[in-house]
Amino acid sequence: MLQEFDLIERHFKPLCKDNPGMILGMGDDAALLNIPPNETLAISTDTLIAGTHFPFETSPEDIAYKALMVNASDLAAMGAAPRWFLLALTLPDSNPVWLNAFAKGLADALESVQAVLIGGDTTKGPLSITIQALGTLQGKALLRSGAKVGDLIFVTGKLGAAAFALTPEGKQNAAAQTALNRPQARWRQGKILQRFASSAIDVSDGLAQDLGHVLKASGVGAQIFLKDVPIAECLTNDICPDSLELALSGGDDYELLCTLSPENVESAKSAFLKENMALFQIGTIVEKQGLNFIKENGEHFLPDKLGYDHFRSDGK
Ligand code: ADP
Ligand code: MG
């Protein structure tokens, strides 16, 4: 069993690399950061509990990777670049093999989002991981409340794979398992969208629910054209008849959902193309409140799993 201080020194201190803006990292009572006056600090936190936010059998590497990425994803949705992270870790015991793997997953995720770990807290108890993410941006942040009538709605990637991973068929599907356990925070996309989009959110609870948050915050409605909703390749219809439902209401995708005013669409599209990043147009913001899914024949479609009133166009 490792002592608390050895544990921090051995597994987490190496993740606190020098970086611009960090005056002091781990080791004192608090980290010190320098935020220039022309930058805005974005801060967010999320907790992951074993059995609730990830299956008990998830590897420690994947747990750490995902915990970091879901927090980075919240920054991305604001248009902020991830810079610093804090980790409050509650562990049933201090197993060095487990900790090694956990620290490796964390290191991989930190490298992917080009950020460092600057501090945290370590306690004993049932496994729980709380991460705090700090990012910066210049100019205006992307809010949920900025969508305007006439804006077009986009997503930064294909949907449904992570939700599929939790189904009996998806448990055997490698691509689906990767989507569930190794989500990618779309922070590069967020940085571009910060310049062009009128609103954004990350898709953590499913497209329908998260778009619902944007519509509510913006006081508008939306039409989503089902034929345009990009469905993850691992979700082909023959293995998964529910693919559309999963893409619309499954969670854990961590793509960004955003709205763009028509005059910004071409600039955003070409910036995405230049970086080789995907941007799928899926619908339009309309005045009439509520979220309408439109089939190819023009009929309305109500996903089974969505019992929420505000998803019903008829208000029933
Ligand atoms: P204190 O008792 O003053 O809160 P701690 O013993 O909790 O100090 O932490 C000592 C140092 O190690 C601090 O800089 C803290 O941020 C860091 N630290 C503790 N646990 C972790 C962790 N799980 N991950 C990263 N840094 C940690
Ligand atoms: Mg402490």
Side-chain angles (χ1 to χ4, degrees), residues 1 15 42 46 63 80 91 113 127 135 146 213 218 251 280 289 291 296:
M1 290 283 279
L15 306 183
D46 257 327
I63 294 170
L91 292 170
V113 301
L127 179 61
H213 295 317
S218 300
F280 299 98
Q289 301 215 358
L291 172 49
E296 229 165 327

Side-chain angles (χ1 to χ4, degrees), residues 117-138:
L117 190 68
I118 57 167
D121 193 29
T122 310
T123 51
K124 195 173 161 131
L127 179 61
S128 143
I129 300 116
T130 298
I131 288 187
Q132 190 167 28
L134 295 90
T136 54
L137 62 106
Q138 287 177 16

Side-chain angles (χ1 to χ4, degrees), residues 201 206-217 257 291 310-311:
I201 191 167
L207 172 70
Q209 192 162 325
D210 289 319
L211 177 54
H213 295 317
V214 170
L215 301 182
K216 196 165 176 218
L257 172 72
L291 172 49
H310 60 272
F311 293 124

Side-chain angles (χ1 to χ4, degrees), residues 141-205:
L142 289 171
L143 305 184
R144 297 177 178 189
S145 55
K148 300 271 182 309
V149 174
D151 285 357
L152 299 168
I153 306 169
F154 294 82
V155 277
T156 57
K158 298 184 179 179
L159 304 170
F164 178 49
L166 297 171
T167 67
E169 304 85 11
K171 286 210 159 56
Q172 327 297 331
N173 188 299
Q177 290 301 318
T178 302
L180 178 68
N181 294 323
R182 295 257 153 176
Q184 299 300 310
R186 301 304 194 192
W187 62 280
R188 288 193 168 87
Q189 287 85 338
K191 272 175 80 173
I192 297 178
L193 292 175
Q194 191 239 336
R195 288 158 48 212
F196 300 114
S198 51
S199 75
I201 191 167
D202 64 324
V203 183
S204 54
D205 297 327

Side-chain angles (χ1 to χ4, degrees), residues 72-94:
S73 177
D74 281 324
L75 296 182
M78 303 299 288
R83 304 273 297 271
W84 306 287
F85 288 85
L86 292 132
L87 165 69
L89 183 60
T90 303
L91 292 170
D93 52 43
S94 61

